[in-house]
């Protein structure tokens, strides 16, 4: 299942970061996550079996990053010593899981305020400008990542 909406934008952000750092992006670096917990765990198991070939995993949400952190930790994978994990949103999952997640923070309050303003305009039958607003995320570095000097991405 191909990403859409914000998930697609987050994927494009990762691809852009690869490009900006002269790292080659290939489609086999992207794993769509199922809504099914069992299917996600099967994917995590597949990644676990090849864990030494990965440097870091980037997730489209803190929920999935936290879920993967628990899965890998239960298998004895040390985070971030064996693999770094990064989420997106900076919600309570990022702070609740151990180690706490490095994540991309969005200004949720600002997003909510803008959504309410637009909703009130729609209720008043007023025109809404700039329907697609993007908020600049902020990198929040916590304990689930560490700097590695070796090559990045999937080692071939």
């Amino acid at each position: 299942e191909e990403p859409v909406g914000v998930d697609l934008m987050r994927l494009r952000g990762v691809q852009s970061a690869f490009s900006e750092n002269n790292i080659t992006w290939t489609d086999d670096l992207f794993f769509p996550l199922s809504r099914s917990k069992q299917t996600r765990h099967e994917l995590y198991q597949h990644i676990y079996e090849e864990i030494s070939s990965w440097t870091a995993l980037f997730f489209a949400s803190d929920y999935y990053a936290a879920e993967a952190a628990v899965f890998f930790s239960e298998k004895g994978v040390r985070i971030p010593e064996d693999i770094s994990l990064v989420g997106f949103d900076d919600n309570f999952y990022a702070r609740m899981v151990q180690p706490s997640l490095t994540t991309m923070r969005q200004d949720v309050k600002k997003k909510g305020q803008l959504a309410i303003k637009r909703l009130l305009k729609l209720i008043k039958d007023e025109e809404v400008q700039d329907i697609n607003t993007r908020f600049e995320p902020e990198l929040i570095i916590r304990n689930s990542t560490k700097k590695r000097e070796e090559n990045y991405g999937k080692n071939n």
Side-chain angles (χ1 to χ4, degrees):
E1 166 176 330
E2 289 300 311
V4 296
V6 296
D7 288 341
L8 179 60
M9 298 303 296
R10 292 171 184 187
L11 175 60
R12 295 289 180 250
V14 169
Q15 291 169 329
S16 177
F18 270 57
S19 177
E20 290 169 11
N21 289 282
N22 298 314
I23 303 170
T24 303
W25 174 265
T26 57
D27 288 340
D28 67 332
L29 297 175
F30 171 72
F31 298 102
L33 291 177
S34 171
R35 288 191 172 98
S36 160
K37 183 177 182 178
Q38 178 180 341
T39 303
R40 288 192 310 273
H41 280 225
E42 289 169 5
L43 174 61
Y44 300 154
Q45 179 65 33
H46 171 73
I47 293 170
Y48 167 72
E49 290 167 4
E50 299 180 354
I51 201 81
S52 65
S53 66
W54 294 95
T55 302
L57 298 174
F58 296 82
F59 291 85
S61 75
D62 290 338
Y63 175 84
Y64 294 127
E67 180 183 65
V70 170
F71 181 92
F72 293 135
S73 293
E74 288 175 352
K75 298 277 189 184
V77 175
R78 298 167 305 147
I79 300 165
E81 294 82 6
D82 298 330
I83 192 163
S84 291
L85 300 179
V86 179
F88 202 108
D89 290 323
D90 194 27
N91 60 32
F92 68 95
Y93 293 110
R95 294 177 297 281
M96 197 169 75
V97 71
Q98 289 299 317
S100 57
L101 291 174
T102 293
T103 186
M104 298 300 295
R105 175 184 291 159
Q106 298 184 89
D107 190 336
V108 177
K109 181 179 177 183
K110 192 174 181 180
K111 283 175 59 176
Q113 289 171 335
L114 181 61
I116 295 298
K117 286 179 185 178
R118 288 182 178 167
L119 179 61
L120 291 173
K121 282 188 170 194
L122 290 172
I123 290 170
K124 295 176 186 176
D125 207 24
E126 297 175 5
E127 185 177 343
V128 176
Q129 301 291 327
D130 301 321
I131 294 173
N132 293 315
T133 302
R134 294 182 189 165
F135 294 92
E136 193 67 31
E138 174 188 4
L139 176 63
I140 305 300
I141 299 173
R142 293 200 180 99
N143 299 323
S144 67
T145 55
K146 77 172 199 172
K147 185 174 182 173
R148 289 177 168 78
E149 296 301 326
E150 65 266 17
N151 56 347
Y152 297 98
K154 187 173 182 182
N155 300 329
N156 293 317

